[in-house]
Amino acid sequence: MKLYNTKTKQVETLVTHTPHHVEMYTCGPTVYHYAHIGNLRTYMMEDVLERYLIFEGNTVNRVMNITDVGHLTSDADTGEDKMLKGAKREHKTVMEIAAFYRDAFFEDCRKLNIKKPDTVVPATSCIDDFIRTIEGLLEKGFAYIAGGNIYFDTSKIKEYYTLTSHAAEDLKVGVRDDVSEDGNKRNKSDFVLWFTKSKFDDQELKWDSPWGVGYPGWHIECSCISMVHQGEYLDLHCGGVDNIFPHHTNEIAQSEAFLGHEWCGHWFHVHHLNDESGKMSKSKGEFLTVSLLESKGYDPLAYRYFCLESHYRKPLTFSFEGLDNAAKAYNKLINRIAAIEPEGACDAAVFSRYYNDVRTAVGNDLNTAMAITLLYNILKEKTSGNTKRAVIDIIDQVLALSLLKKADAKRKEAADAARAKAEAEAALHRDDPEAEAIEALIRERAEAKKAKNYARADEIRAELLARGIVLTDTAQGTTWARQ
Ligand code: AMP
Ligand code: ZN
């Protein structure tokens, strides 16, 4: 497939180390609070990407970390540990907070049809691997000890700013220079691999290390977890755009310093979902979660539809008005699919045309909006119901909007209601001595209508009316009652 690569700044073919197999890594959530729907936009687009790679015939090994230690409130090495902040807020232990919000995250993912990655690894389960990698970096001269902490020395590598320009990041550092610089650092861009000299004496989780009791920095976890579960070569690394710097920049620096060769060739980043005030927040204003959307009556998949209507490489502004429109369109789409009669053979020519169209749309930098347009196109196509359903099925293998499942549930609901109505009617007429004869005439009338013999159909209606019996035609069939 063709996919924008943040590293080369162009849309290019995704090249993997093993043909038809993709080693894909996803930066997982920091489980100190619920995920907001912005975080979930990123995971949803990564999910579409994985589904599409499978659709194309690849196998995918997807690995995700769960950050339960080391992510400070600033993505640089300043501020408080987010996990500790969450634990204090709720008067619980860090591990209790981590377990609760990890489960809540996967529950939100389930509601949004976001597949759980094959391998999910909490950072706290890999401390020995982090220590081993940091020892390797110290041995190779890429790291140093200062003031009790271990730092990565960014001056020791050829090119540190591989994903962004130096100037752009320097500018940003200048802007956020409200935080005091760490005097232990040899270079401004150096980052912490292991903290022992913590400013936070109340840091709850600490481990023994060759450098004293402490805890890992945030960036080392993703590099190590990927190397342990995916080996020395990664094909595709994913995250939100805020991860580009410093997190992914630091991941590349330490992984390539440790391995001595290029680590990952393709970097996929999803742009942010913003609210109307500008930035999604977990602390200020309305905290937009999947549960909040549900409490307001929205189907979480209407939010998925809302996201898929836009390209992942454009910032998206969330508003309830926008979500209302998406929810209406999504419901209408399901109703139209429910109205398709599953009849006729599947037209192979139409099917393969749409199969290619899906590849053209989604296989070209994940154009999900175009894939949605294909759904509307097939609904208008002059072809059998079963062709339409087969095409909808393949498009939805990638979009995962549960279209046929929801449409079939609607059809079943309607059929159950019709059956219940017919049964109620049969019960009503059970003691009527003429019921059998009347129903035979109603069946005859239906046959006559089918054969376009409207004269006979009208005759039967008139004959029954003359006997005081009124017929009512409904979508589910004809009912009768005595006047
Ligand atoms: P975190 O739990 O803060 O580590 O973030 C989880 C994921 O959400 C990361 O991949 C972030 O890049 C991504 N993310 C954070 N904020 C947003 C946002 N407003 N819109 C989309 N993705 C986001
Ligand atoms: Zn990461």
Side-chain angles (χ1 to χ4, degrees):
M1 81 175 296
K2 290 214 172 2
L3 191 66
Y4 183 82
N5 184 356
T6 310
K7 196 167 180 179
T8 58
K9 296 183 183 47
Q10 59 189 16
V11 176
E12 60 187 27
T13 304
L14 171 67
V15 180
T16 61
H17 290 87
T18 307
H20 310 300
H21 177 76
V22 187
E23 287 293 339
M24 176 176 183
Y25 187 86
T26 296
C27 286
T30 308
V31 283
Y32 70 111
H33 216 322
Y34 291 107
H36 59 49
I37 57 172
N39 302 129
L40 291 159
R41 179 193 190 200
T42 291
Y43 294 111
M44 201 186 296
M45 299 316 295
E46 292 168 353
D47 178 67
V48 175
L49 176 56
E50 180 184 2
R51 286 174 190 274
Y52 179 73
L53 290 168
I54 294 168
F55 174 85
E56 260 198 343
N58 301 288
T59 51
V60 178
N61 178 34
R62 179 145 171 231
V63 177
M64 179 195 269
N65 64 305
I66 297 284
T67 300
D68 50 5
V69 69
H71 192 173
L72 308 188
T73 44
S74 154
D75 281 354
D77 304 318
T78 54
E80 198 176 359
D81 185 315
K82 288 187 179 183
M83 293 304 300
L84 192 62
K85 200 174 158 187
K88 279 187 193 159
R89 185 186 64 232
E90 299 185 20
H91 308 290
K92 295 206 176 105
T93 65
V94 164
M95 288 324 269
E96 282 168 342
I97 290 287
F100 180 83
Y101 288 111
R102 179 202 56 217
D103 293 350
F105 171 73
F106 284 117
E107 182 56 14
D108 286 345
C109 287
R110 191 188 59 76
K111 289 176 182 167
L112 289 166
N113 279 353
I114 298 170
K115 254 174 71 182
K116 195 171 180 175
D118 307 284
T119 307
V120 175
V121 188
T124 48
S125 72
C126 303
I127 301 298
D128 289 347
D129 298 310
F130 304 161
I131 291 174
R132 220 172 302 122
T133 308
I134 297 168
E135 280 180 317
L137 289 170
L138 278 164
E139 268 163 36
K140 290 176 190 189
F142 290 106
Y144 59 91
I145 305 175
N149 293 336
I150 316 295
Y151 294 85
F152 185 87
D153 188 341
T154 54
S155 70
K156 292 280 161 66
I157 53 173
K158 254 202 255 127
E159 176 60 60
Y160 172 63
Y161 294 96
T162 45
L163 295 179
T164 51
S165 78
H166 190 303
E169 294 317 334
D170 252 14
L171 210 67
K172 269 200 230 158
V173 172
V175 171
R176 61 152 202 254
D177 253 353
D178 49 328
V179 291
S180 55
E181 269 303 323
D182 179 346
N184 294 321
K185 290 186 183 181
R186 289 184 191 161
N187 312 287
K188 200 170 178 176
S189 51
D190 291 356
F191 54 93
V192 177
L193 296 165
W194 186 269
F195 291 96
T196 56
K197 189 99 174 73
S198 169
K199 300 187 280 207
F200 327 115
D201 284 339
D202 53 353
Q203 182 72 13
E204 204 178 292
L205 299 178
K206 294 180 193 172
W207 294 264
D208 254 337
S209 81
W211 321 287
V213 174
Y215 63 100
W218 174 39
H219 315 295
I220 194 70
E221 67 177 91
C222 292
S223 292
C224 279
I225 291 171
S226 175
M227 286 192 267
V228 167
H229 293 274
Q230 303 181 289
E232 287 192 12
Y233 296 94
L234 181 64
D235 297 315
L236 179 59
H237 196 307
C238 311
V241 281
D242 58 305
N243 285 160
I244 298 174
F245 186 87
H247 185 48
H248 289 168
T249 303
N250 291 349
E251 278 188 43
I252 294 173
Q254 66 204 1
S255 299
E256 298 193 352
F258 182 78
L259 294 169
H261 58 71
E262 191 192 39
W263 173 48
C264 177
H266 215 115
W267 291 79
F268 172 83
H269 291 106
V270 180
H271 279 254
H272 274 187
L273 180 84
N274 301 312
D275 61 20
E276 282 166 314
S277 74
K279 195 174 183 297
M280 246 336 103
S281 169
K282 293 191 183 186
S283 50
K284 290 186 271 2
E286 197 166 34
F287 181 3
L288 293 164
T289 59
V290 169
S291 310
L292 181 88
L293 300 188
E294 283 183 304
S295 73
K296 291 182 187 272
Y298 293 100
D299 179 343
L301 291 183
Y303 174 62
R304 186 168 174 116
Y305 185 95
F306 171 83
C307 289
L308 298 185
E309 284 180 309
S310 297
H311 197 260
Y312 78 93
R313 257 190 319 119
K314 287 201 182 114
L316 178 60
T317 303
F318 177 83
S319 69
F320 279 103
E321 199 188 343
L323 184 60
D324 279 337
N325 290 335
K328 271 188 216 140
Y330 179 59
N331 272 333
K332 242 181 172 167
L333 181 62
I334 288 165
N335 286 338
R336 288 180 67 184
I337 296 170
I340 300 172
E341 279 306 322
E343 47 73 37
C346 181
D347 184 329
V350 175
F351 180 84
S352 67
R353 172 155 54 84
Y354 274 89
Y355 181 83
N356 288 333
D357 287 348
V358 176
R359 294 191 66 166
T360 307
V362 190
N364 187 9
D365 203 21
L366 226 59
N367 192 339
T368 48
M370 197 187 272
I372 290 180
T373 303
L374 293 176
L375 287 169
Y376 289 99
N377 291 352
I378 186 65
L379 285 170
K380 285 184 279 182
E381 196 85 46
K382 288 205 176 357
T383 186
S384 70
N386 280 331
T387 311
K388 292 185 182 186
R389 286 178 59 92
V391 168
I392 291 164
D393 184 39
I394 53 160
I395 299 175
D396 212 27
Q397 278 173 27
V398 178
L399 300 184
L401 288 164
S402 294
L403 295 172
L404 287 176
K405 190 171 153 205
K406 289 205 177 236
D408 287 346
K410 279 209 169 164
R411 286 175 71 83
K412 185 172 178 303
E413 219 173 86
D416 288 349
R419 198 173 316 112
K421 201 166 169 215
E423 278 166 13
E425 202 151 292
L428 197 70
H429 300 314
R430 197 172 294 135
D431 300 328
D432 193 316
E434 283 189 295
E436 219 170 287
I438 293 166
E439 273 150 25
L441 279 169
I442 290 174
R443 279 196 297 278
E444 190 191 333
R445 177 172 169 264
E447 289 298 318
K449 270 171 84 180
K450 225 176 175 178
K452 297 199 166 48
N453 185 353
Y454 299 112
R456 176 63 189 143
D458 288 347
E459 201 176 273
I460 293 172
R461 178 192 277 280
E463 187 187 317
L464 287 170
L465 190 60
R467 287 159 58 183
I469 294 152
V470 183
L471 301 187
T472 310
D473 291 323
T474 72
Q476 284 80 36
T478 303
T479 62
W480 62 277
R482 289 190 181 276
Q483 268 180 327

